Amino acid sequence: MSLYQSLALKGGKERSLQRFHPWVFSGALQNEIKKTAEGEIVRITDSKGNFLATGYVQHGSIAVRILSFIDEAIDVNFWIRKIENCYEIRRALGFVNNAETNCYRLMHGEGDGVSGLIIDFYNGTAVIQCHTSGIYKHLPLITEALVHVLKDDLKAVFNKSSETLHGAVEEASNGFVFGDGSATNLVKENGFQFKVDWQTGQKTGFFLDQRDNRALLGHYSKGKDVLNTFAYTGGFSVYALMNGAKQVDSVDVSKNAITLLNENMLLNNSQADNFNSEAIDTFSYFKLHDKLYDLLILDPPAFAKNIGAKHNALMGYKRLNIEGFKKVKPGGLMFTFSCSQVVDSHTFNQTILSAAIESNRKVKVIHRLTQPADHPVNIFHPEGEYLKGLVLFVE
Ligand code: SAH
């Protein structure tokens, strides 16, 4: 007999779980689950009582998020097995004990089978971001399992969940849950150095998902005039600078981001004087400066956080790309991205197409970009493919 409460689905609603999709919508359940606390583990059965999956409760339209398709206990051993699995995959992908790249995503939500949980590893410090209050309740066990699996590779665990939980859990303040702040916050990515601010920075402190795309940008940077908009702490800017760009200009609306960006540029080349940065809104920068560039990067934050905001988001991407096209020299390249999960790649491509038409520029798609290997997509949950990018040759 399982310790966990069983929740039955309505007849015919079992199909998505049989196809290993990790969500149960509230409308698919026979009974309301308001009385079951968030984070509580439940067994999901079909309408006849046959076991389908084990998951945790979250109040909202996604009522249960699946953790396992086995009837098993979600205890510390479960979390050890999960994290071991993620760690072994990262080892197979070449991230573990890699002197050139010592920061990577260890746990990528649904892509690694745990909806709502992100763990990024920064040269000895794991930063955990819980996106649901349900998973937050399991944080002590997850931390214990991390320490058990990573052993000496792990110096500290930092909980960075207060922003993503939007105050849903009162005690969810950010801070170390293992170790302290004495571990280094300097990381290497493809041999380049970055200072990561997981305490006050955005997300877990660094955008690991652009690693491969930054390398591609580096490949095209030599001798170029580069403008990196929405630059954050300068991921793309450092690659451009270190790959021999003639000039690298960077723009971000956040002053803190620009301060760290300048530090990161000098960290890699203390002599560099061919870069500029400005804490300013991208559209205002475009208005104020006439300069044209060989290489332009547009990597805005998610314009649509939910499906309701999709239309306005598409208008936003179109407007941004129209303004962007105006800044690219004939024969230049534009790297343009969307990280909105609700905007799929087809829709994104169509939006860029309409921006190109409106700009009256001849445009060729030369690369189609996405997230890197440590941000896997569960094939049964294609919504997990959130990062989309195009590299455009602008004639
Ligand atoms: N390309 C970055 C990540 C970008 S995240 C990297 O590789 O690390 C999005 C960034 O856009 C954030 O740093 C945020 O501060 C910035 N931002 C948001 N709105 C902006 C605006 N209107 N103009 C300029 N920057 C903006």
Side-chain angles (χ1 to χ4, degrees):
M1 247 326 259
S2 172
L3 292 172
Y4 303 133
Q5 182 190 352
S6 292
L7 299 175
L9 297 180
K10 291 176 184 161
K13 293 290 184 188
E14 64 282 352
R15 281 192 205 103
S16 79
L17 287 189
Q18 284 166 342
R19 273 189 254 117
F20 302 111
H21 193 279
W23 296 343
V24 177
F25 288 95
S26 57
L29 290 169
Q30 286 187 7
N31 298 305
E32 286 246 342
I33 56 154
K34 287 270 153 51
K35 289 205 188 88
T36 309
E38 289 191 323
E40 199 155 304
I41 303 298
V42 289
R43 296 169 79 246
I44 303 294
T45 70
D46 66 13
S47 58
K48 301 193 186 78
N50 300 309
F51 173 84
L52 293 168
T54 307
Y56 72 90
V57 169
Q58 184 67 36
H59 298 155
S61 74
I62 306 171
V64 177
R65 292 167 190 254
I66 301 309
L67 295 170
S68 171
F69 290 92
I70 299 171
D71 201 357
E72 62 177 329
I74 307 300
D75 53 13
V76 73
N77 291 322
F78 167 82
W79 289 112
I80 287 173
R81 287 194 300 277
K82 271 276 173 211
I83 291 169
E84 261 170 1
N85 180 250
C86 291
Y87 201 41
E88 283 319 306
I89 291 170
R90 275 37 178 204
R91 192 189 299 282
L93 298 175
F95 289 105
V96 176
N97 299 325
N98 177 337
E100 292 298 294
T101 298
N102 55 24
C103 53
Y104 59 88
R105 180 153 290 187
L106 175 63
M107 165 74 77
H108 182 58
E110 280 89 356
D112 282 301
V114 185
S115 176
L117 182 64
I118 297 295
I119 307 176
D120 285 342
F121 181 84
Y122 294 112
N123 191 14
T125 298
V127 180
I128 301 185
Q129 193 154 59
C130 297
H131 286 253
T132 62
S133 39
I135 205 72
Y136 188 75
K137 305 243 165 91
H138 297 264
L139 183 65
L141 289 185
I142 294 166
T143 305
E144 190 182 334
L146 258 176
V147 173
H148 180 89
V149 175
L150 270 67
K151 300 197 169 59
D152 291 346
D153 291 345
L154 189 71
K155 308 286 179 262
V157 180
F158 188 80
N159 166 34
K160 180 80 190 296
S161 303
S162 66
E163 294 87 354
T164 40
L165 293 179
H166 310 292
V169 185
E170 263 171 37
E171 70 276 17
S173 53
N174 293 340
F176 285 97
V177 288
F178 170 73
D180 54 32
S182 59
T184 181
N185 62 352
L186 289 180
V187 302
K188 268 196 184 176
E189 183 185 272
N190 288 317
F192 301 128
Q193 292 207 74
F194 293 93
K195 189 168 156 186
V196 178
D197 181 359
W198 47 74
Q199 310 252 7
T200 61
Q202 298 179 33
K203 301 280 170 85
T204 65
F206 192 62
F207 288 84
L208 296 163
D209 56 0
Q210 290 287 22
R211 181 192 310 111
D212 293 354
N213 304 331
R214 291 179 189 131
L216 183 69
L217 179 100
H219 171 74
Y220 287 115
S221 292
K222 196 169 168 52
K224 301 288 171 63
D225 260 325
V226 180
L227 174 62
N228 182 15
T229 65
F230 308 92
Y232 189 45
T233 55
F236 285 102
S237 306
V238 165
Y239 279 67
L241 181 79
M242 299 308 288
N243 280 284
K246 186 164 113 212
Q247 170 73 25
V248 183
D249 295 340
S250 306
V251 171
D252 197 283
V253 79
S254 151
K255 276 205 179 79
N256 290 342
I258 290 294
T259 304
L260 203 46
L261 180 147
N262 290 336
E263 271 187 62
N264 282 332
M265 296 295 256
L266 295 172
L267 193 60
N268 287 279
N269 179 358
S270 60
Q271 306 296 311
D273 58 1
N274 55 336
F275 72 93
N276 262 318
S277 57
E278 221 176 304
I280 186 175
D281 160 63
T282 298
F283 288 99
S284 310
Y285 182 89
F286 283 160
K287 264 202 202 107
L288 287 169
H289 299 266
D290 294 331
K291 186 171 168 188
L292 299 184
Y293 290 89
D294 301 304
L295 209 47
L296 171 66
I297 301 124
L298 303 174
D299 183 23
F303 283 168
K305 295 245 156 56
N306 56 59
I307 198 84
K310 188 170 157 183
H311 178 71
N312 284 345
L314 295 179
M315 301 299 283
Y317 287 118
K318 184 173 165 189
R319 198 162 77 90
L320 175 65
N321 281 272
I322 289 173
E323 295 308 315
F325 279 127
K326 293 183 188 159
K327 300 292 170 186
V328 183
K329 285 184 201 167
L333 297 181
M334 185 159 110
F335 280 61
T336 183
F337 296 96
S338 161
C339 59
S340 300
Q341 183 154 340
V342 295
V343 176
D344 62 37
S345 61
H346 176 72
T347 313
F348 181 62
N349 293 1
Q350 291 299 110
T351 306
I352 304 306
L353 165 70
S354 58
I357 292 171
E358 202 143 317
S359 313
N360 208 14
R361 298 294 298 264
K362 251 178 108 184
V363 172
K364 292 181 176 21
V365 177
I366 57 170
H367 296 278
R368 291 165 194 80
L369 307 178
T370 184
Q371 61 220 51
D374 53 339
H375 293 58
V377 180
N378 174 350
I379 202 161
F380 306 110
H381 178 259
E383 302 94 313
E385 191 174 335
Y386 69 98
L387 184 62
K388 295 144 298 270
L390 294 172
V391 184
L392 306 171
F393 186 88
V394 187
E395 287 184 43

